Amino acid sequence: METVCVPATKGRPREFDVDLALAAALRVFWKRGYEGASMAELTAEMGLTKPSLYGAFGNKEALFKKALDLYEHEKMAYMRTALDAETSRGVAERLLMGALEMQQSTCDPKGCLGVISTVACSQEAESIREDVIARQAGSKKALIDRFERAKAEGDLPEAIDPTALARYLTAVMQGLAVQAGAGTGCPDLRAIVDTTLAVWPGR
């Protein structure tokens, strides 16, 4: 747990917990998106003044990227282990159940930070959109590679295109996040997961 001292307006420097402040910023960005998150809300949730925020994290864009790092490390950790499943269906199950569990959380906002930040960004925030897309590219490539291996091993039918299958699964996961953000309940989200696994082309 890292503690940072930043100058107070008067008197001694004020200390704050960087991890807790960054977690608070992540919740705001996750709920509002990059552009929807105002500096007023960020500073209020983080318990910081603007000078303290800038001193510790840099500008809003730098803060968002640090929050995105945290989101990927903590909230999306299930994606790093899903590819280790023995079958393509196992990969899909781990990814879908991980996504479902995240949307069922009572501690975090609903929806997907990546989806929010790529869809809702204006031209002024294009660099944020490009950064998010670049981060997602590596995960998509790894998923395609895993399905290509599954096909080579006979785990997927010859007619299945690994790239299209990876995009399909990604679309379902993003759809779960969008529907959760729109208020769809857990039983209906679970039905989507169960249906996707029931029609999965692999073993």
Side-chain angles (χ1 to χ4, degrees):
M1 186 178 292
E2 184 181 356
T3 301
V4 168
C5 294
V6 294
T9 51
K10 291 182 180 180
R12 295 180 300 174
R14 182 184 296 111
E15 293 186 353
F16 70 91
D17 187 305
V18 171
D19 295 335
L20 292 178
L22 188 57
L26 171 57
R27 288 193 296 271
V28 175
F29 283 126
W30 196 346
K31 185 187 301 181
R32 307 292 187 200
Y34 174 74
E35 291 181 296
S38 68
M39 290 302 296
E41 185 173 10
L42 285 166
T43 53
E45 290 296 320
M46 296 171 73
L48 301 176
T49 62
K50 279 188 180 180
S52 296
L53 187 155
Y54 290 137
F57 298 103
N59 59 17
K60 182 182 177 182
E61 182 174 342
L63 174 62
F64 176 80
K65 290 180 178 179
K66 289 182 173 68
L68 194 56
D69 289 339
L70 178 62
Y71 177 79
E72 292 177 340
H73 178 71
E74 289 190 354
K75 309 302 180 182
M76 306 298 288
Y78 66 90
M79 297 191 71
R80 294 193 292 272
T81 60
L83 301 183
D84 295 332
E86 293 184 3
T87 65
S88 64
R89 190 184 187 282
V91 171
E93 184 172 14
R94 289 188 186 185
L95 288 174
L96 289 167
M97 294 305 295
L100 179 63
E101 183 177 348
M102 190 164 67
Q103 299 307 324
Q104 290 176 332
S105 170
T106 58
C107 303
D108 297 319
K110 307 303 179 186
C112 173
L113 180 58
V115 172
I116 295 170
S117 301
T118 53
V119 173
C121 278
S122 68
Q123 201 166 21
E124 288 74 16
E126 184 63 22
S127 63
I128 290 293
R129 182 175 180 274
E130 290 176 352
D131 181 62
V132 173
I133 291 174
R135 289 172 184 247
Q136 293 173 340
S139 297
K140 291 178 180 177
K141 174 69 164 54
L143 186 57
I144 292 169
D145 290 346
R146 178 63 184 85
F147 287 163
E148 286 180 343
R149 177 162 69 86
K151 184 174 179 178
E153 294 171 347
D155 178 40
L156 287 171
E158 187 62 31
I160 292 296
D161 177 0
T163 299
L165 186 62
R167 287 174 177 165
Y168 162 71
L169 182 57
T170 299
V172 173
M173 293 170 62
Q174 291 176 340
L176 284 172
V178 171
Q179 292 203 34
T184 301
C186 292
D188 290 333
L189 296 176
R190 179 57 191 259
I192 294 172
V193 170
D194 291 343
T195 301
T196 303
L197 293 175
V199 300
W200 191 257
R203 297 193 298 260

